[in-house]
Amino acid sequence: MEKQGKMALEHWVNQVTDKFIRNTIINDEFMEFMKENTLPYQSLMAYYRCAIMEIETKFKVLNEQFSLQYDRNPIETIKTRLKSQEGIMKKLKKKNLPLTVESIEENIRDVAGVRVVCSFPEDIYLLADCLLEQDDILLIQKKDYIQNPKESGYRSLHLIVEVPIFLQNEKRPMKVEIQLRTIAMDFWASLEHKLRYKKNIKPEEAVRLAEELEKCARISAQLDYKMQEIRNRIQKEEQDS
Ligand code: 0O2
């Protein structure tokens, strides 16, 4: 209860701080930065878009191969996103880092984001292993919030990887954040994200909601593993017959 209360309070403080930063500092400072850096900033974002395409294609290829080899698709959906200017600015501010194109590339590791949604937890690890075995992929960081869920209940496998993009006269390694999750984890995270940013929720209700959501995360984890067990039994029956 104490932990959930602290989280709800932190969340409220973050909301107020975020709003302050957004309204007062971000716009002016970003406009000033863009006056000097429009082209380098836009080029960097274009490179990140290329890196997203590379990673998305790699997952599509793996999905296709599994479909041919095992007659099943491990991937349900792939979603991609480029972090917004506001998101980049907020992260730099939070970490007390300079606003320069170099600093963005060096310090913000989730400008390019790819989210891969699978039906079953086992497929998450299978896909992650297949990707990491590829010789042009360099693993920078792995955070396994499936084995070790966050206090909120959040579960997903996060990888920060470097992938090369091939430009006219240059090969450029770019960082991409990959989040791999099941449909159930994705459903939970989307709902929790929506509720997290709802305004005017009383602190005591926010605590209750956080507790309920954490419970839901545990129930949804059980469902994931039960469904996987059923899938594995069906596969075994098929192989044995
Ligand atoms: P968006 O718009 O989703 O990208 P770091 O990136 O390492 O500096 P941090 O906070 O240590 O920062 O990264 P973390 O927690 O490993 O992963 C951050 C991302 O994971 C978040 O991105 C969310 O997408 C997701 N995430 C992490 N915790 C939660 C959670 O409790 N609930 C939900 N719904 N999602 C979570 P951003 O930066 O918030 O924004």
Side-chain angles (χ1 to χ4, degrees):
M1 176 72 190
E2 207 176 287
K3 210 195 290 173
Q4 306 287 356
K6 194 168 150 253
M7 277 168 59
L9 185 65
E10 270 172 10
H11 168 56
W12 181 80
V13 171
N14 282 342
Q15 266 191 336
V16 174
T17 316
D18 280 359
K19 202 171 169 193
F20 172 74
I21 291 171
R22 200 164 40 239
N23 293 346
T24 57
I25 307 169
I26 286 179
N27 286 340
D28 292 353
E29 213 174 313
F30 193 77
M31 295 304 274
E32 203 51 42
F33 162 76
M34 282 303 265
K35 267 191 217 158
E36 306 284 321
N37 297 283
T38 308
L39 198 60
Y41 180 81
Q42 284 177 350
S43 302
L44 183 65
M45 293 304 123
Y47 299 155
Y48 279 121
R49 279 195 294 275
C50 297
I52 287 174
M53 285 190 265
E54 293 284 354
I55 295 291
E56 189 178 13
T57 304
K58 283 177 180 290
F59 280 114
K60 283 183 173 168
V61 169
L62 287 170
N63 204 35
E64 195 65 35
Q65 193 209 342
F66 274 85
S67 154
L68 284 171
Q69 210 167 333
Y70 305 108
D71 199 25
R72 70 183 180 88
N73 295 106
I75 299 176
E76 285 296 322
T77 48
I78 303 177
K79 302 171 201 173
T80 64
R81 72 106 181 85
L82 197 66
K83 205 171 188 69
S84 65
Q85 292 168 1
E86 193 184 305
I88 292 172
M89 283 290 289
K90 265 166 64 177
K91 207 156 209 175
L92 287 175
K93 287 270 158 219
K94 204 170 129 190
K95 296 187 171 190
N96 231 342
L97 291 163
L99 172 57
T100 61
V101 173
E102 293 74 28
S103 164
I104 295 171
E105 189 167 7
E106 207 175 302
N107 301 304
I108 311 289
R109 303 199 285 191
D110 65 342
V111 176
V114 175
R115 187 171 288 160
V116 181
V117 180
C118 305
S119 296
F120 304 103
E122 272 175 9
D123 290 341
I124 290 175
Y125 293 103
L126 183 69
L127 286 166
D129 288 347
C130 289
L131 180 84
L132 295 175
E133 268 169 23
Q134 299 184 8
D135 60 11
D136 55 350
I137 293 284
L138 177 69
L139 177 66
I140 307 285
Q141 188 184 45
K142 186 186 223 171
K143 287 192 196 168
D144 191 343
Y145 297 125
I146 302 175
Q147 294 296 319
N148 308 295
K150 285 200 160 187
E151 279 181 9
S152 60
Y154 177 78
R155 295 181 305 132
S156 282
L157 178 67
H158 288 197
L159 307 174
I160 307 285
V161 300
E162 224 166 54
V163 63
I165 58 164
F166 293 86
L167 304 166
Q168 196 180 0
N169 301 312
E170 192 192 354
K171 176 180 165 186
R172 219 172 188 285
M174 300 299 299
K175 289 190 190 79
V176 178
E177 184 193 65
I178 305 168
Q179 298 182 346
L180 294 116
R181 14 170 112 154
T182 61
I183 298 170
M185 293 173 199
D186 192 48
F187 174 51
W188 184 93
S190 312
L191 190 64
E192 193 260 1
H193 189 264
K194 265 185 220 148
L195 296 178
R196 189 187 278 258
Y197 291 98
K198 286 266 176 256
K199 290 176 194 122
N200 307 327
I201 297 183
K202 291 190 206 81
E204 59 281 18
E205 180 59 1
V207 174
R208 277 195 293 271
L209 287 172
E211 281 173 345
E212 288 292 317
L213 279 164
E214 200 274 330
K215 254 186 239 162
C216 285
R218 272 184 279 143
I219 295 167
S220 102
Q222 283 166 3
L223 180 68
D224 266 344
Y225 288 105
K226 191 73 208 161
M227 295 297 280
Q228 185 175 276
E229 189 202 314
I230 292 170
R231 194 264 317 246
N232 291 349
R233 278 165 55 189
I234 292 172
Q235 268 183 353
K236 189 167 180 305
E237 281 298 311
E238 273 179 347
Q239 281 162 8
D240 292 351
S241 63

